[in-house]
Amino acid sequence: MHWYTDVLKRYVDFSGRSRRQEYWMFVLFNLLALIIVAIVDSLLGTYPLLYALYALAVLLPALGVGVRRLHDTGKSGWWMLIAIVPLIGGIWLIVLMATEGNAQPNQYGPNPKLAA
């Protein structure tokens, strides 16, 4: 659970690097939370309201961890915009997020795997 809360604590931090594990654990916990919020929201009869509020609340943390994950691979955070390209862009972004980070320090900071 600390993977999720650590990302939320660094919600507007777009600098530095994040490991694959931090990114993917955040994605997993966020997906589970979205499903739970959607179920609770539909049971209350206010379906899009709570779901939209939660999605809006985690938008900046999700962008921040995504940018830091791209920094770990040596790419700029602007590569997130590749997802705009239909079909291929989303697949390419998943490949970038799953790629192992640079073992050496890069222009975005030291290797987070060695710091842990």
Side-chain angles (χ1 to χ4, degrees):
M1 188 68 178
H2 71 87
W3 297 106
Y4 184 76
T5 57
D6 288 349
V7 170
L8 292 179
K9 289 176 189 173
R10 297 176 61 188
Y11 74 100
V12 289
D13 185 9
F14 293 96
S15 62
R17 297 167 62 174
S18 288
R19 298 175 59 184
R20 281 185 294 185
Q21 185 177 18
E22 178 181 5
Y23 176 77
W24 288 110
M25 292 303 281
F26 174 78
V27 169
L28 175 67
F29 284 123
N30 195 36
L31 180 64
L32 292 174
L34 278 169
I35 291 169
I36 291 169
V37 168
I39 291 170
V40 169
D41 206 7
S42 71
L43 289 175
L44 293 175
T46 60
Y47 172 61
L49 181 65
L50 293 178
Y51 185 84
L53 287 174
Y54 176 78
L56 188 61
V58 296
L59 178 65
L60 283 177
L63 286 175
V65 75
V67 167
R68 290 192 309 271
R69 177 72 206 121
L70 287 171
H71 286 175
D72 191 39
T73 61
K75 305 270 191 272
S76 168
W78 289 105
W79 273 93
M80 296 266 303
L81 295 177
I82 195 74
I84 294 172
V85 177
L87 187 63
I88 302 298
I91 294 170
W92 185 247
L93 186 61
I94 291 171
V95 168
L96 287 175
M97 295 299 188
T99 303
E100 186 173 357
N102 297 342
Q104 304 300 324
N106 62 20
Q107 69 266 29
Y108 301 107
N111 186 351
K113 200 180 264 190
L114 299 177

